[in-house]
Amino acid sequence: MSEITTTSVRTEPLIARYRGLICDLDGVVYRGPRAVPHAVETLNRVTADDVPVVFATNNASRPPEDVGDHLRRLGVAQRGWSVVTSSQAAAAHLAQRLAPGAPVCAVGGPGVAHALAEAGLTPVRVAELDGTPVEAVVQGLGFDITWRELAAVGYLAEAGASWVATNVDLTLPTPYGRAPGNGALVALVQTATSASPHVVGKPQPALFDLARARLGTEHSDTLVCGDLLGTDIEGANSAGLDSLFVLSGASRLRDLAFAERPARPTYVAADLSGLLAPGLPLHVTSSEHLVELGPDAVPRIPSEGDNGKLLQSVVTTTWAARDGGRAVSDDAGLWEGIERQLGLGESDQDSH
């Protein structure tokens, strides 16, 4: 589905080109307890049209059922979707390598132990170790992790147990600001050991592979939607999947304009409702040059025009200039002005 020529005119909804959707959560579907505008109604349209959705999250602390309850409370209809977490990706990784029922130390929130048990392994909490040998340790985010548990991860990894980190996101959004994420805790353990963890969460492909297996779709028939370039989009590229980058979360238009090739998406939209609009592929070879780079190295936006096409043109014009060695202004204020010209609203600074 990704071989779209720059000269073709596609009028059907973007999602019509795909048979399955892998969707991020924080910043795409919700921001904390609130739904992102247009997200719920878009998802209900997509699943009503028999396109299955898998919500894939790096947050390992909650079991999928708890995430599902959150989605239902927001109004997402109970049809055609499921949830996979980085804890499940970690458990799947170990289930392929260990015997059924093998003991694995679970460090993190309830989602870690839940995923291990679901995969046929035996989760063992640090408080339950009592000298009992374990073959691996999974470290995921938890809000009540103690020094003793972090120390145990290091002891076990140093002793030769397989160390799997659900993800290495350094920060986590909270209502009060950014807080240390699982990656910060993993880095803390690494200061005390010579071992390194195997990471399964975004931007590694394992979580995307697990989600696509759940969908039962081929690579070319699967679309990823996310709001973070360095995790959702880079991960989609590493897994060989097309992606839609939405500006409803943490990353802004300036971030997209200055993204390096590994983190460049296939499409861009203001929010998840872009799935229901004609998708404009972000090819730098596009024959339509609606936006030009001014002498001050700032994209010039016409006073009139389709905002979707103008957004695409801003990105492709900037990428082409930068790839060709031309300077482009990275002034944050100027890029915020471009967003306003394109009708892109302010967004809470959430992560996934």
Side-chain angles (χ1 to χ4, degrees), residues 15 17 20 51 67 92 131-132 135 147 178 180 217 233 241 277 320 332 348:
I15 192 59
R17 304 175 196 174
V51 178
V67 178
T132 304
E135 297 185 45
W147 177 90
R178 292 194 177 275
T217 52
I233 305 306
L241 305 174
D348 291 353

Side-chain angles (χ1 to χ4, degrees), residues 256-283:
L256 176 60
F258 286 86
E260 299 301 329
R261 289 185 182 277
R264 291 180 181 178
T266 317
Y267 311 97
V268 62
D271 53 48
L272 204 54
S273 64
L275 291 171
L276 305 179
L280 300 171
L282 294 172
H283 295 313

Side-chain angles (χ1 to χ4, degrees), residues 30-349:
Y30 53 66
R31 304 184 192 116
R34 305 187 310 277
V36 169
H38 312 299
V40 171
E41 50 266 48
T42 296
L43 289 167
N44 288 342
R45 282 273 304 277
V46 168
T47 55
D49 289 339
D50 295 324
V51 178
V53 178
V54 171
F55 298 105
T57 176
N58 260 5
N59 192 329
S61 62
R62 295 192 293 174
E65 291 77 7
D66 291 357
V67 178
D69 288 343
H70 187 180
L71 292 169
R72 283 183 284 270
R73 285 194 298 271
L74 293 176
V76 179
Q78 182 55 59
R79 61 167 177 257
W81 59 265
S82 61
V83 177
V84 296
T85 71
S86 58
S87 285
Q88 289 178 303
H93 170 78
L94 290 174
Q96 293 174 349
R97 290 159 177 79
L98 304 178
V104 177
C105 183
V107 174
V112 178
H114 180 278
L116 290 169
E118 181 185 58
L121 302 169
T122 303
V124 181
R125 288 292 189 181
V126 169
E128 303 166 341
L129 283 174
D130 256 349
T132 304
V134 295
E135 297 185 45
V137 55
V138 174
Q139 182 179 1
L141 183 66
F143 301 116
D144 298 308
I145 289 178
T146 65
W147 177 90
R148 189 181 301 278
E149 289 175 308
L150 294 176
V153 174
Y155 300 152
L156 292 169
E158 196 72 28
S162 297
W163 177 18
V164 180
T166 59
N167 65 297
V168 288
D169 300 342
L170 291 175
T171 61
L172 179 77
T174 76
Y176 312 103
R178 292 194 177 275
N182 194 55
L185 300 181
V186 169
L188 184 63
V189 174
Q190 284 188 284
T191 64
T193 176
S194 59
S196 295
H198 176 80
V199 182
V200 295
K202 310 171 193 176
Q204 302 303 317
L207 184 57
F208 295 97
D209 292 342
L210 180 62
R212 191 172 59 79
R214 181 81 60 88
L215 288 170
T217 52
E218 299 296 327
H219 287 82
S220 60
D221 292 327
T222 310
L223 180 68
V224 173
C225 183
D227 70 310
L228 289 177
L229 296 165
T231 51
D232 302 314
I233 305 306
E234 189 171 337
N237 288 336
S238 71
L241 305 174
D242 286 355
S243 59
L244 169 67
F245 172 70
V246 292
L247 288 156
S248 56
S251 299
R252 306 312 310 150
L253 180 57
R254 175 178 175 273
D255 301 314
L256 176 60
F258 286 86
E260 299 301 329
R261 289 185 182 277
R264 291 180 181 178
T266 317
Y267 311 97
V268 62
D271 53 48
L272 204 54
S273 64
L275 291 171
L276 305 179
L280 300 171
L282 294 172
H283 295 313
V284 296
T285 55
S286 174
S287 58
E288 268 193 300
H289 299 289
L290 304 177
V291 172
E292 295 183 351
L293 202 62
D296 54 357
V298 177
R300 291 280 184 257
I301 313 297
S303 57
E304 294 183 0
D306 177 86
N307 279 351
K309 290 183 178 179
L310 290 173
L311 173 59
Q312 177 212 29
S313 189
V314 166
V315 176
T316 55
T317 298
T318 305
W319 284 355
R322 295 185 64 243
D323 292 348
R326 292 183 62 189
V328 179
S329 173
D330 64 352
D331 182 88
L334 291 174
W335 281 96
E336 288 171 5
I338 293 172
E339 286 197 10
R340 288 191 294 270
Q341 284 181 268
L342 294 174
L344 300 169
E346 294 294 327
S347 170
D348 291 353
Q349 296 300 297

